[in-house]
Amino acid sequence: MSKTSHFAPAVNQAAPLCSTPVISVTALAGVPAWVRHTLGDRAQRTASKAAMLDIEVIEDEDCFIPHRTMTTYLDAVARNAGAQDLGLLLTPGLSLDRYGCWGRYALAAPTLGAAVERARATVAFHSKGDAVALDARAGRARVSYVSAARGLPGYRHVACGSAAVIVSLCRAFLSESWRPQAIELDIAAPRRGERFEEIFGCPVRFDASRVSVWLDTQQLHERPADRPPPPLITVEDLARARIDCRRLQRVTDIVAQQVWAQVQGGAVSIDSAAASLATSVRSLQRALNREGTDFRSLANALRGRRAIELLSRTDASVAQVAATLGYSVPAHFARAFRKATGLGPTEFRRRRSVARHGTLPSAPHLPRSEELEDRLDATDETLAPGDRVRGRTVPKG
């Protein structure tokens, strides 16, 4: 196990790895910028080191991270800043509209009640393990959020953030000045509970069973006023943009989500993946071996898939693509890409352009992306000797 940070999660073998809860990294959208602006670059770097993932680089991407990575990041920020109520400080800047396609789908509903129902029915596109609920009785309605992060260090910041996001959803249909009847938080009462009431503008109760926001039942029927027509978005659009987390049943599925986030962030690390799952590197490798794969092969396939995307859909140079994927030497990337696809990066890009625009009808057949990915899945030499991946150098020989 890497000792990169003293904030790294402790090993815990109590639960099977395949049950590890994950959440869209968009749940942290805007937080790194706040940390950098308010607390400084050092605080942001320290928190990223603790989480063993550069959240700032991927915060707007449709990828998933373990809840533990999220809480570790927030806990590190709070510890370094001496801010026990970090979540409360973040509250004004948190909003559902930063939650990517899932947030947009909920906010595109015709009424507040319909928006809550959309969030409830599709929460699996935002998280594995979280739940949204709506209860209405005796003229009062309660919108609740249950997070799988509860019990982890740093959860108190998540609880405050969850309440803030529910409030932002309500205000999108009511008004920016709207205040809840009451808020309930499933965290222990702080020394200064009045600060919470000042920020939220309503009574706040602690030690609840879940995070809840109370409002008048009639307000569930409210439609947004003075808002331009929302973009047309369906649950099918949501399904195309994100995976349904209920499908993540194997250890390989969970690890693949973490590795994809690492690939997007430009640094792949088995130490980070193991820490985020609260296990050891050896235990993680054994779990993957039992499912017929290993971390290296999984990482290579996903890096290769990202390489295909960047070469096909951007004008970035081969050197830029190599650096983005964590290669210290572009030639190592080119050699690995050629071994996996049969083409060098430049030739691949040229033939892809030809296949798309038809400028050279006689050009040789270019394998489909799916075929290339199959080849990438079959190779384990994407990391060339001497390449550094999150502080580790691939050994030679």
Side-chain angles (χ1 to χ4, degrees), residues 85-288:
D85 295 327
L86 172 68
L88 196 60
L89 299 177
L90 293 170
T91 291
L94 299 178
S95 176
L96 186 62
D97 63 7
R98 295 297 303 272
Y99 277 30
C101 54
W102 182 65
R104 290 193 298 273
Y105 176 68
L107 290 168
T111 66
L112 174 56
V116 175
E117 173 55 26
R118 283 191 176 195
R120 185 203 65 77
T122 62
V123 69
F125 289 103
H126 175 66
S127 169
K128 176 186 178 182
D130 293 4
V132 177
L134 173 62
D135 303 305
R137 59 182 181 276
R140 301 184 70 202
R142 179 177 66 171
V143 182
S144 302
Y145 194 90
V146 178
S147 172
R150 185 176 181 180
L152 294 175
Y155 171 68
R156 63 183 297 107
H157 314 307
V158 175
C160 287
S162 299
V165 171
I166 296 174
V167 170
S168 79
L169 169 60
C170 295
R171 287 177 174 168
F173 290 83
L174 303 175
S175 73
E176 284 299 319
S177 60
W178 175 83
R179 295 183 177 185
Q181 293 181 351
I183 283 178
E184 296 173 343
L185 298 176
D186 55 349
I187 58 176
R191 287 195 297 266
R192 295 185 57 195
E194 66 274 11
R195 292 187 60 202
F196 287 74
E197 299 191 345
E198 291 171 5
I199 295 295
F200 285 113
C202 67
V204 177
R205 295 188 285 269
F206 300 92
D207 296 302
S209 61
R210 60 183 61 186
V211 173
S212 300
V213 173
W214 289 86
L215 63 153
D216 189 294
T217 302
Q218 289 300 115
Q219 292 175 322
L220 295 173
H221 304 290
E222 292 290 330
R223 296 175 178 271
D226 301 323
R227 185 183 78 175
L232 295 177
I233 180 171
T234 67
V235 69
E236 287 79 15
D237 294 324
L238 187 56
R240 280 188 289 270
R242 289 188 183 175
I243 189 171
D244 183 337
C245 289
R246 291 171 296 189
R247 294 168 52 190
L248 305 178
Q249 299 295 324
R250 302 179 303 156
V251 176
T252 302
D253 300 330
I254 299 295
V255 175
Q257 293 301 316
Q258 174 70 346
V259 171
W260 183 244
Q262 292 180 357
V263 168
Q264 298 275 54
V268 179
S269 164
I270 189 172
D271 298 278
S272 172
S276 69
L277 300 178
T279 191
S280 66
V281 169
R282 178 174 296 182
S283 295
L284 176 59
Q285 286 284 37
R286 287 174 176 172
L288 290 172

